[in-house]
Amino acid sequence: MGKGCITATKYFLFLFNLLFFLSGALILGFGLWVLLDNQSFIAVLQDSSTSLKVGSYILIGVGSMSMLMGFLGCIGAIYEIRCLLGLYFTCLLLILIAQVTAAVLIYFQRDLLKSEMANIMNKIIVDYTGQNKTTDAAWDYIQRTIHCCGWTGPSNWTENTLIKNSTQMLYPCSCRNTSLPGVDVKESGLCETLSPEWPVYSTGCVSSVENWLFNNSGVILGICAGVAVIELLGMILSMCLCKSVHQEDYTKVPKY
């Protein structure tokens, strides 16, 4: 391989690893958001699903490892250190295999995941009290902002313990359809109605979530494909540069 080609490969690999480092930072940030955020749909699942918590820790681990690999790849590319390039190639290959395996498992277990999510949502609705618990506040936020009621529909709320055992006609305040006539109500908790027909949204939240995923499926698939292509490109460049470096030259590494 010519000297000019080696130089071009080296700097292309450096640029790739810079992008890889930034991608790792984004994954790490997303994992931290899933773990710490308490005002979104994710927060509703956190307290009831251990698999989501495990997934957030996995995202944090993958993001941290990606940042480390990006850093090692940059050092290995600039200073042409074969052991770092080889280690970088191996770790990148393992990450790619893990991502493909996770995607396959999610695809074939999608019905099980959908069923688990429905069970979690129904349990949260049954146990809802509106007393400012994290799950209650997040669920109110979802229904109020997405304009939905219940998981599959308002009928899910008839199984709520407080509504079922109350002598009054209660309904979740966050389901209130503001386009219907009536007085202003609270944004959380349970409200009383004099009519047997609840003044609530008729659409379940699952429909809104599925619509969001369907409308953004192209973006999601594009991001996944882009990450895979970047990883393959990094593997190819690191292998080519590693083969072009005939011996280690640690004198290139700056001493501090």
Side-chain angles (χ1 to χ4, degrees), residues 20 65 69 72 86-96:
F20 195 65
M65 187 175 181
M69 289 303 100
L72 292 178
L87 177 63
Y88 169 76
F89 175 86
T90 303
C91 291
L92 198 57
L93 178 61
L94 292 175
I95 291 174
L96 183 60

Side-chain angles (χ1 to χ4, degrees), residues 31 52-53 73 82 124 142 154 160 181 198 213 229:
L52 184 66
K53 291 183 179 179
R82 295 188 67 184
I124 292 173
I142 292 167
N160 176 265
W198 290 355
L213 291 174
V229 169

Side-chain angles (χ1 to χ4, degrees), residues 132-173:
N132 295 324
K133 290 194 304 182
T134 300
T135 51
D136 290 354
W139 188 239
D140 286 329
Y141 177 80
I142 292 167
Q143 292 186 136
R144 193 168 58 249
T145 54
I146 301 181
H147 296 170
C148 60
C149 189
W151 184 238
T152 57
S155 60
N156 295 143
W157 281 100
T158 59
E159 299 299 319
N160 176 265
T161 303
L162 295 180
I163 293 177
K164 184 187 293 186
N165 297 327
S166 176
T167 57
Q168 301 172 314
M169 287 186 291
L170 302 176
Y171 71 94
C173 301

Side-chain angles (χ1 to χ4, degrees), residues 31 67 76 85-86 163 246:
M67 293 178 68
L85 291 172
I163 293 177
H246 299 293

